[in-house]
Amino acid sequence: MALASARHILVETERQCNELKAQIENGADFADLAKQFSSCPSGAQGGELGEFGPGMMVPEFDKVVFSAPVNTVQGPVRTDFGYHLLEVTSRS
């Protein structure tokens, strides 16, 4: 079974998600922004979600996490929870 580790930032609006992505692309630290802006409890750990397999997260996550390049910020990804920036930190 494939396994991945990822981190994310969850916000309410697509606009805020795009603004945070631009900050990251301009050198801002992903973990610092997650701690400051993410509405998910994982924000306190810099957005770290740990290791998981297919089907353990919502389908929108799986689609990105198991296909996107590692260490590249993806998003906005819309789910029922809001808008996410996702970064796959490892996959095997």
Side-chain angles (χ1 to χ4, degrees):
M1 176 173 80
L3 291 175
S5 294
R7 58 187 182 167
H8 80 134
I9 299 172
L10 172 62
V11 294
E12 289 186 14
T13 68
E14 185 174 14
R15 179 180 177 180
Q16 185 180 19
C17 201
N18 281 318
E19 289 170 357
L20 293 172
K21 186 174 184 180
Q23 289 181 41
I24 292 165
E25 289 170 347
N26 288 318
D29 184 72
F30 190 105
D32 289 344
L33 292 178
K35 289 175 184 173
Q36 188 174 359
F37 294 103
S38 186
S39 61
C40 180
S42 67
Q45 291 80 42
E48 293 291 340
L49 296 169
E51 190 173 71
F52 52 91
M56 295 177 71
M57 299 288 181
V58 295
E60 298 90 344
F61 257 60
D62 275 6
K63 183 177 179 181
V64 174
V65 169
F66 292 100
S67 66
V70 175
N71 297 319
T72 303
V73 176
Q74 304 293 315
V77 175
R78 187 175 185 273
T79 70
D80 289 342
F81 300 100
Y83 293 87
H84 307 257
L85 291 180
L86 293 168
E87 182 179 23
V88 181
T89 54
S90 70
R91 187 171 49 233
S92 60

